[in-house]
Amino acid sequence: MLLILADLLSPQELQTARQLLRSARWDDGKDSAGTQARQAKNNQQLPRDSEAGRRIAAMVLAALERSALFLTATLPKRVFPPRVNRYGGEHNHYGDHVDSAVRQLADRHDRLRTDISCTVFLSPPDEYDGGELCIDDTFGPQRVKLPAGHAVIYPGTSVHQVRPVTRGYRMACFFWVESLVRSAEQRRLLYDMDMALLRLRQQHGESPETVALTGSYHNLLRMWADT
Ligand code: NI
């Protein structure tokens, strides 16, 4: 499932992030890629321990917590600490690759399975040419280039690339989610059910039927969730 989270960041948060990025120092992005991905990757990233990187990561995590759409679509168990990258100049693209299935969490002796990938766009699309996130999956090839503050989530299993940026700079925040529900098929069913319940409640209010269906939702989640 590919889903857009419109206005994940507020205008104020976006402004703060962009201010932090104005004086940021960038490292080569190859440090966090696996062997195959390293050959395709040519971008820059904020160092993990930088002030700007830490503050933007905290801001994005807080925004995810208040996004009902993010929570119902991903059913997050754990979120990889968000990183910030930049495409432009000599470091302007990331060719076709699949993200590593398992990632080490930097400061913990712990690992995370990358069920879902997420990109939060930090640069307005009129500031750069190219830079589309192209995702190839069962839903057919998709080209994603969103307003600043919007995010996209897509399956971690997808082959994807970032097209060369030929003018300006494209900055974004990226991270992965390990879901309580490992199967994309089961996650999709729960998402559809939750959204239908939301609309039912909006149209008709609470009823014995919505209570019963909400019970079924939670019982399916109980059956499938791995906490
Ligand atoms: Ni990737």
Side-chain angles (χ1 to χ4, degrees):
M1 182 167 70
L2 184 149
L3 198 68
I4 288 165
L5 311 172
D7 299 315
L8 179 73
L9 297 179
S10 70
Q12 183 60 54
E13 287 170 328
L14 195 55
Q15 198 188 347
T16 306
R18 289 171 57 75
Q19 244 155 25
L20 287 165
L21 290 172
R22 232 162 260 152
S23 53
R25 187 175 63 81
W26 297 89
D27 280 352
D28 193 308
K30 289 193 199 290
D31 71 331
S32 68
T35 315
Q36 186 275 325
R38 194 172 295 138
Q39 293 168 23
K41 189 173 187 181
N42 181 19
N43 70 357
Q44 293 176 303
Q45 289 174 186
L46 287 187
R48 217 185 298 274
D49 55 359
S50 70
E51 165 81 6
R54 276 190 285 113
R55 285 184 59 189
I56 292 170
M59 190 185 291
V60 167
L61 288 174
L64 295 176
E65 283 295 323
R66 56 173 199 257
S67 169
L69 191 57
F70 171 79
L71 296 173
T72 187
T74 67
L75 298 166
K77 181 176 179 180
R78 286 185 302 182
V79 177
F80 188 85
R83 300 285 308 265
V84 179
N85 62 14
R86 179 171 84 160
Y87 294 84
E90 286 175 19
H91 304 282
N92 60 30
H93 70 278
Y94 195 162
D96 267 337
H97 67 282
V98 176
D99 296 337
S100 303
V102 177
R103 299 201 75 102
Q104 186 81 37
L105 292 162
D107 49 348
R108 278 174 270 172
H109 298 287
D110 209 357
R111 289 183 285 266
L112 170 145
R113 192 183 59 237
T114 57
D115 296 323
I116 298 154
S117 302
C118 184
T119 297
V120 186
F121 289 76
L122 298 175
S123 301
D126 61 1
E127 281 188 6
Y128 61 96
D129 290 334
E132 296 88 356
L133 172 62
C134 296
I135 303 161
D136 205 357
D137 207 315
T138 47
F139 40 70
Q142 304 283 325
R143 292 168 82 91
V144 182
K145 185 169 177 173
L146 298 174
H150 283 31
V152 60
I153 57 175
Y154 59 99
T157 49
S158 308
V159 172
H160 58 277
Q161 63 164 299
V162 175
R163 301 286 305 149
V165 169
T166 54
R167 176 187 65 89
Y169 285 94
R170 171 204 195 267
M171 288 176 276
C173 189
F174 66 98
F175 57 90
W176 299 270
V177 180
E178 180 176 317
S179 179
L180 291 165
V181 176
R182 181 176 188 163
S183 153
E185 206 173 2
Q186 291 170 344
R187 250 189 344 260
R188 175 60 193 258
L189 192 152
L190 287 167
Y191 170 75
D192 287 341
M193 195 170 173
D194 200 24
M195 295 307 277
L197 268 165
L198 182 72
R199 285 190 293 271
L200 265 181
R201 275 205 196 84
Q202 282 167 352
Q203 287 166 22
H204 309 291
E206 201 70 79
S207 65
E209 289 74 18
T210 57
V211 173
L213 283 172
T214 303
S216 299
Y217 171 88
H218 283 286
N219 290 334
L220 284 171
L221 182 55
R222 199 184 327 275
M223 184 157 60
W224 292 333
D226 178 20
T227 58

